[in-house]
Amino acid sequence: MNRLKKKHSWMAVFFGLCLLLLLPNASYAKQPESSYWFPDQLLNWSPENDPDAEFNRSQIPLAKREVLYGVNDHAQSKAKLVALSALNSNTSGVPSQGGKEFFANTFSYWQYVDLMVYWAGSSGEGIIVPPSADVIDASHKNGVPILGNVFFPPTVYGGKYEWVDQMLSQREDGSFPAADKLLEVASYYGFDGWFINQETEGGDPEAAQKAKEFLVYLQKQKPEDMQIMWYDSMTEDGKISWQNHLTDKNDSFLQDGETRVSDSMFLNFWWRDQESSFNKAQDLGRNPYDLYTGIDVEAKGTSTSIPWQGIFPEGKAPFTSLGIYRPDWAFKTAATMEEFYQKENEFWIGNSGNPSNTMDNGAWKGMAHYFNAKTAIHELPFVTHFNTGSGKFFSVDGKVVNKQSWNNRSLQDILPTWRWLKEGGQNVNVEFDWETAYYGGSSLKLSGAIDPKNPTHLKLYKTNLPIQKDTEISMTYKTAANNPNLKLGVSFIDNPDQFIFFNVKKHSKNQWMTETFKLKKYSGKKIAAISLLAESDTEIKDYEMNIGEIKVFNKKTKQIGNSPKQGKVSDITFYKGIYADVSLAWDPSVSDDVSHYEIYRRLPNNEKEFVGATPNHVYFLSAMKRIEKESQTVLEIVTVNKEYTRSEPVEVTFEWPPYPKPEADFRADKTIAAPGEPVQFSNASSEVTEEFEWHFEGGTPAVSNEENPVVTYAEEGVYSVSLIAKNSEGESVLTREAWITISESANEIKNVALNKTAIASGQCAPSEGPSFAVDGKVTDNSKWCALGQAPHWLKLDLGVQYAISKFMVRHAQAGGEPQAFNTQGFRIEVSLDGENWTEAVRITDNTEGVSEHSISLTNARFVRLWIDKPTQGSDQAARIFEFEVYGYPNP
């Protein structure tokens, strides 16, 4: 079975939230999400009717790239490399402008990628998926075009041929409305084209011809620099049959006579030698490097066995380009950021960790063995903070301005071209450091030992930077040593291997220091590389140095950026009187010198807190929490230019509603207990509650002011519970009559749903039927799954009548699936006869993988679970790994 089919129905999520914001409950946050559609939704889409559209736009143009020179004799630049990567692990629930998790897929080996495909799409969420804005920004900054994905799934994965028909529908004039929409989306969001993967069975020769006409229409209508890539799946008879080579059965989807049908083709994985594809492409008059021979690394990563000679024959030019399916293996199989970056390095560079020396890497030599690194660094100013695009905190000019973890790939720097190219002494280690940062969340760390006879030369960046009379280079660094023992090196295009060095001398222990060097004497030259040289006259065994910034700039052009104009709150929604979703907007700067904008919150003590940054001119603050009882909040928007000089801020103010009274609510870990057995009560009142007053009929204690008291009951009986929630604005009382039952029968309580008869509104597959929700297993993917539009239902016949006290629902996360697939909204009903139902539980804001729901003792034989909102996003598939009903027989 073709591996491109796999994983679409359950790809792991990266369900982030707006950058650096405290979030009380994900259900409150209405932060913008990246787009995903089915064909009918795409046809009805427009920026005007999509409130999230403006947040999903990339503002970073595609940079140009150059090879310039190589460092590996085996690498070449004729064949290209495309990566089909799940840069966000899920289709739905992807925040438009970064998230709150530090551990995120901050892919950084752009220098070896010629084309990126944003791999996403599933039958439960949407099959047409543009890249998220932060990924477009990172890709463009590195000069890599990025494509959205159109995925028609096989029917076994929920594919429907009607989706193909909808995409291929034509107007009377022969134009294709869906093709027009694809081009509109790409133009509006700012990405570079589409990868089209048609794997839904049911086609015929007429459908294949129409698909080709669709592709030709795209060719004629698209901008010249937009790309359409076709996947080797459908053949000319309309059937799904992977050819794995360019053949007579699939070649017309690339080129049909004189007609260019698609810009490139991704060839499936089952091949041994691609010489025939090379010859076939030439016969068609097409560049063989428009063909991308696929390798599937999703499961085994660097342990995948690849017949490399079939693409890169020894002593010859490559037969085709290379297509890599799911290099996000490195992230998916890592538990920490350090492990992720280590696996990335092994994947792209090989186990030597040196891109200039790959011959001894073994079977997996790394992409640096086959491809020259390219650079997009050719204009001044060039600034790097070695910021990987996520962090455990956020620093500005060496000061931590927010302690919350974050990710935002829009802020990722162009990271070092070579990782790591060390010459001379090998005992100086180099790595990204997420514990220290000058700007963002990381810096470059050197550590280890310096050999006085063999200094360590670390080549970092390939560049093509012009030097003028006022050009300078600076470095910001921090060390605990008495001497930096470091030099900053540059080489020039006319001799990239010959370096000149500037001696770094300033020193103040554990303080960020900046040293600047003039390049006037090299005016007219171009910088080919930037490096560091760690050397000492004596042996140093415990060397440690952090590099926070390297900057190349023209001193005379340095200026403060223009302040944003017309800053405003374009929309605001309040929750419970203490949370606000705030949409900020300002006029985009007409200057091309803008790097991004920073947003700060002025605290009641007049200090400032960093809350986010974006290159866009809109920003969404999700679930901003009111500080104490403040009546208004002041936000500041600051322009950051490309030298990282900041403008004067623009202030935006909004007023909070009156401070609310509390709303009382509570829960208990059980509603039936034996005499003397402790019952744990939990406050669930609104957050503004300041005081608690509990009353327990028949309990000990009878009254409590604790937030979460433990109570025992000496005598059998049925008892009421009250809670008074208080604050300065008033109070709220909640009483639940006859809520706690004290009985020796509590010892008989068990899961009475186990292996009972279950039916459901539907199922994803025979192996995911309703019986799997009551089999007592949450491993081996044992679950009930249902596709289609919600609501879905699962009904249990317990066989006899039981006294029921609690339900436990094990959602997607309990079975190892993403948190974003946890059921958000559901109801539980009970019935004695299966006809007349009473609602026992209603939940609208669940985020947990396992949810427990105690109720007052209720008699029932039948139980029904309704799934109203199946996931945290828009995926409509229900996923219940186990539905447990606790009670005892009550004939």
Side-chain angles (χ1 to χ4, degrees):
M1 183 181 66
N2 173 28
R3 290 300 301 271
L4 280 178
K5 298 176 183 177
K6 289 193 171 184
K7 309 288 184 182
H8 287 278
S9 63
W10 60 274
M11 286 193 300
V13 71
F14 175 70
F15 185 64
L17 303 164
C18 279
L19 178 65
L20 300 172
L21 297 178
L22 298 175
L23 184 68
N25 185 312
S27 65
Y28 298 157
K30 305 298 180 183
Q31 80 276 12
E33 293 182 355
S34 294
S35 300
Y36 47 94
W37 304 287
F38 293 104
D40 59 336
Q41 296 170 325
L42 173 70
L43 291 168
N44 291 314
W45 177 86
S46 71
E48 293 75 25
N49 63 24
D50 181 353
D52 291 352
E54 62 181 349
F55 296 95
N56 290 321
R57 304 185 78 177
S58 170
Q59 301 296 328
I60 296 180
L62 179 64
K64 72 173 186 178
R65 296 210 307 174
E66 304 168 283
V67 175
L68 299 175
Y69 58 92
V71 297
N72 189 312
D73 292 339
H74 303 279
Q76 54 77 50
S77 302
K78 288 185 177 181
K80 296 170 285 186
L81 187 155
V82 66
L84 278 58
S85 188
L87 293 162
N88 288 305
S89 303
N90 197 56
T91 296
S92 61
V94 174
S96 300
Q97 295 181 306
K100 70 167 187 174
E101 300 295 331
F102 161 59
F103 185 47
N105 188 353
T106 52
F107 172 75
S108 65
Y109 279 89
W110 301 99
Q111 62 270 37
Y112 299 108
V113 177
D114 294 283
L115 185 64
M116 177 64 74
V117 173
Y118 182 84
W119 191 251
S122 74
S123 60
E125 299 164 286
I127 65 170
I128 305 156
V129 191
S132 61
D134 62 332
V135 168
I136 305 173
D137 288 341
S139 188
H140 279 188
K141 191 180 297 184
N142 286 275
V144 179
I146 185 167
L147 309 185
N149 195 27
V150 180
F151 172 60
F152 297 99
T155 53
V156 69
Y157 290 104
K160 299 178 181 179
Y161 200 80
E162 66 185 80
W163 293 336
V164 180
D165 287 335
Q166 289 170 343
M167 285 293 287
L168 298 181
S169 65
Q170 290 177 275
R171 303 182 183 95
E172 290 185 3
D173 63 3
S175 61
F176 291 86
D180 291 335
K181 281 296 179 182
L182 290 179
L183 299 178
E184 180 185 358
V185 168
S187 176
Y188 181 81
Y189 285 161
F191 60 97
D192 308 290
W194 292 94
F195 180 94
I196 301 179
N197 176 14
Q198 201 306 83
E199 295 189 72
T200 306
E201 303 87 345
D204 55 24
E206 183 180 352
Q209 179 60 33
K210 204 168 187 180
K212 286 187 283 188
E213 292 173 4
F214 181 88
L215 293 171
V216 170
Y217 181 82
L218 282 170
Q219 287 294 319
K220 292 180 178 179
Q221 301 299 319
K222 70 181 180 67
E224 184 178 356
D225 57 354
M226 192 172 285
Q227 302 187 46
I228 304 297
M229 177 177 279
W230 177 258
Y231 172 56
D232 160 35
S233 50
M234 178 185 275
T235 51
E236 293 182 358
D237 59 5
K239 296 180 180 179
I240 304 303
S241 177
W242 301 273
Q243 301 302 296
N244 311 296
H245 303 82
L246 189 65
T247 72
D248 291 341
K249 292 185 177 181
N250 64 8
D251 61 356
S252 63
F253 289 99
L254 179 70
Q255 186 77 23
D256 192 2
E258 298 297 318
T259 303
R260 186 181 183 92
V261 181
S262 57
D263 297 298
S264 55
M265 182 182 289
F266 188 101
L267 300 175
N268 194 49
F269 314 119
W270 308 323
W271 52 271
R272 296 299 301 176
D273 186 291
Q274 285 293 6
E275 187 171 7
S276 64
S277 296
F278 176 90
N279 294 332
K280 185 68 173 177
Q282 288 194 319
D283 291 344
L284 294 173
R286 289 295 297 269
N287 187 337
Y289 303 124
D290 291 342
L291 300 176
Y292 291 82
T293 297
I295 63 173
D296 176 5
V297 301
E298 179 185 19
K300 297 182 179 180
T302 55
S303 297
T304 308
S305 178
I306 306 294
W308 292 107
Q309 285 289 321
I311 308 175
F312 302 99
E314 193 70 33
K316 297 181 181 179
F319 288 137
T320 68
S321 294
L322 176 67
I324 306 178
Y325 176 64
R326 302 300 299 274
D328 53 286
W329 159 87
F331 178 73
K332 188 177 65 172
T333 59
T336 65
M337 190 65 83
E338 289 80 5
E339 184 184 5
F340 167 37
Y341 270 59
Q342 182 275 324
K343 287 188 171 185
E344 284 268 86
N345 189 262
E346 181 184 349
F347 188 96
W348 294 93
I349 308 302
N351 59 26
S352 70
N354 185 335
S356 70
N357 180 19
T358 55
M359 278 301 294
D360 297 330
N361 279 341
W364 187 274
K365 297 192 181 305
M367 298 305 109
H369 182 79
Y370 306 101
F371 298 91
N372 281 314
K374 299 178 176 66
T375 181
I377 306 170
H378 56 85
E379 292 182 349
L380 297 180
F382 166 65
V383 181
T384 178
H385 299 103
F386 306 97
N387 178 23
T388 62
S390 73
K392 301 174 183 178
F393 53 86
F394 201 99
S395 286
V396 173
D397 294 343
K399 179 183 178 182
V400 174
V401 292
N402 196 299
K403 296 180 180 180
Q404 300 295 312
S405 60
W406 63 279
N407 70 79
N408 188 343
R409 287 163 291 195
S410 293
L411 305 182
Q412 183 187 68
D413 288 331
I414 298 178
L415 296 176
T417 311
W418 303 297
R419 278 173 261 165
W420 302 98
L421 210 171
K422 289 191 291 185
E423 297 177 345
Q426 297 296 303
N427 291 328
V428 174
N429 302 312
V430 57
E431 61 190 342
F432 294 109
D433 184 357
W434 290 283
E435 304 299 328
T436 303
Y438 185 70
Y439 187 88
S442 53
S443 61
L444 191 70
K445 183 177 180 179
L446 308 183
S447 62
I450 299 179
D451 182 349
K453 297 180 181 179
N454 197 12
T456 300
H457 188 202
L458 177 65
K459 295 179 179 179
L460 292 176
Y461 283 100
K462 178 190 289 189
T463 72
N464 192 14
L465 294 171
I467 301 176
Q468 300 176 10
K469 291 182 178 181
D470 63 333
T471 303
E472 298 182 348
I473 185 169
S474 68
M475 186 173 76
T476 300
Y477 55 93
K478 180 165 65 173
T479 181
N482 292 321
N483 189 321
N485 293 299
L486 195 66
K487 292 182 178 180
L488 179 61
V490 297
S491 68
F492 305 108
I493 289 293
D494 55 0
N495 192 350
D497 293 325
Q498 181 178 341
F499 284 77
I500 62 164
F501 295 99
F502 303 95
N503 196 12
V504 176
K505 297 179 180 179
K506 290 184 179 179
H507 170 255
S508 182
K509 281 191 175 182
N510 295 315
Q511 299 293 320
W512 288 109
M513 304 297 295
T514 299
E515 197 148 4
T516 303
F517 307 97
K518 296 180 179 180
L519 299 175
K520 181 179 179 180
K521 65 182 293 186
Y522 307 104
S523 179
K525 289 181 174 289
K526 290 189 174 182
I527 298 175
I530 300 173
S531 71
L532 298 172
L533 180 66
E535 67 173 1
S536 173
D537 294 334
T538 59
E539 183 181 10
I540 298 178
K541 295 182 178 180
D542 54 354
Y543 182 68
E544 189 169 304
M545 165 75 75
N546 281 87
I547 315 299
E549 179 187 84
I550 293 177
K551 180 190 299 188
V552 187
F553 59 99
N554 291 327
K555 184 176 181 180
K556 291 181 181 178
T557 60
K558 185 175 182 178
Q559 58 185 2
I560 297 176
N562 295 321
S563 298
K565 305 295 183 184
Q566 304 299 319
K568 63 181 180 180
V569 173
S570 58
D571 192 23
I572 190 165
T573 303
F574 295 103
Y575 297 92
K576 297 190 175 183
I578 59 169
Y579 293 101
D581 287 345
V582 184
S583 294
L584 289 178
W586 55 93
D587 289 347
S589 174
V590 296
S591 170
D592 61 0
D593 190 39
V594 175
S595 171
H596 57 275
Y597 302 90
E598 295 171 344
I599 298 96
Y600 294 84
R601 179 181 187 175
R602 189 179 298 167
L603 305 178
N605 63 5
N606 216 34
E607 293 182 0
K608 295 179 182 180
E609 180 184 42
F610 175 85
V611 293
T614 178
N616 206 339
H617 56 88
V618 291
Y619 194 78
F620 192 88
L621 303 172
S622 174
M624 174 176 282
K625 189 174 182 180
R626 192 173 191 168
I627 299 176
E628 297 177 343
K629 298 178 182 178
E630 62 182 337
S631 60
Q632 68 175 22
T633 292
V634 178
L635 300 169
E636 295 182 352
I637 309 167
V638 176
T639 303
V640 182
N641 70 12
K642 291 182 179 179
E643 282 190 37
Y644 281 74
T645 302
R646 289 167 184 79
S647 72
E648 291 297 317
V650 168
E651 293 186 358
V652 177
T653 302
F654 68 87
E655 303 291 329
W656 289 93
Y659 200 74
K661 297 178 182 179
E663 297 177 9
D665 192 11
F666 60 87
R667 300 186 178 94
D669 66 338
K670 58 179 76 75
T671 57
I672 179 170
E677 182 180 357
V679 179
Q680 174 70 68
F681 290 89
S682 301
N683 166 59
S685 304
S686 58
E687 289 184 69
V688 297
T689 304
E690 297 169 357
E691 298 180 46
F692 308 92
E693 184 179 319
W694 296 84
H695 294 268
F696 302 105
E697 179 188 8
T700 302
V703 178
S704 175
N705 298 115
E706 294 183 16
E707 183 174 357
N708 302 303
V710 176
V711 179
T712 58
Y713 296 82
E715 303 292 336
E716 290 190 329
V718 180
Y719 302 102
S720 300
V721 178
S722 294
L723 172 62
I724 306 173
K726 306 175 183 179
N727 73 2
S728 59
E729 309 303 312
E731 63 181 43
S732 170
V733 181
L734 175 63
T735 299
R736 291 195 171 115
E737 302 287 349
W739 200 56
I740 299 296
T741 299
I742 304 300
S743 170
E744 294 292 350
S745 297
N747 296 318
E748 303 174 32
I749 294 257
K750 64 179 181 178
N751 176 16
V752 298
L754 186 64
N755 295 320
K756 295 297 170 61
T757 301
I759 61 174
S761 56
Q763 61 189 45
C764 298
S767 61
E768 296 176 323
S771 64
F772 293 96
V774 290
D775 64 356
K777 302 176 183 177
V778 292
T779 58
D780 302 323
N781 205 34
S782 176
K783 68 182 176 189
W784 167 58
C785 170
L787 292 172
Q789 291 295 310
H792 310 286
W793 56 262
L794 172 71
K795 186 168 74 171
L796 308 183
D797 181 353
L798 304 179
V800 297
Q801 182 174 297
Y802 289 90
I804 296 170
S805 65
K806 184 173 74 171
F807 305 98
M808 183 175 290
V809 188
R810 300 186 186 275
H811 306 276
Q813 196 174 16
E817 294 194 20
Q819 186 267 351
F821 288 161
N822 288 341
T823 319
Q824 182 171 313
F826 57 95
R827 292 166 284 141
I828 302 174
E829 298 175 331
V830 295
S831 172
L832 291 169
D833 57 10
E835 298 292 334
N836 300 293
W837 296 89
T838 300
E839 185 173 281
V841 173
R842 177 183 288 267
I843 302 296
T844 61
D845 59 356
N846 176 64
T847 62
E848 300 300 320
V850 179
S851 59
E852 296 187 33
H853 312 280
S854 294
I855 61 172
S856 57
L857 207 60
T858 301
N859 294 328
R861 171 178 169 174
F862 300 91
V863 179
R864 184 163 60 188
L865 172 65
W866 284 97
I867 306 296
D868 296 316
K869 192 171 189 309
T871 64
Q872 305 296 305
S874 297
D875 189 339
Q876 291 295 299
R879 300 168 179 85
I880 302 297
F881 276 80
E882 199 71 13
F883 181 37
E884 301 171 12
V885 180
Y886 287 86
Y888 60 88
N890 188 30

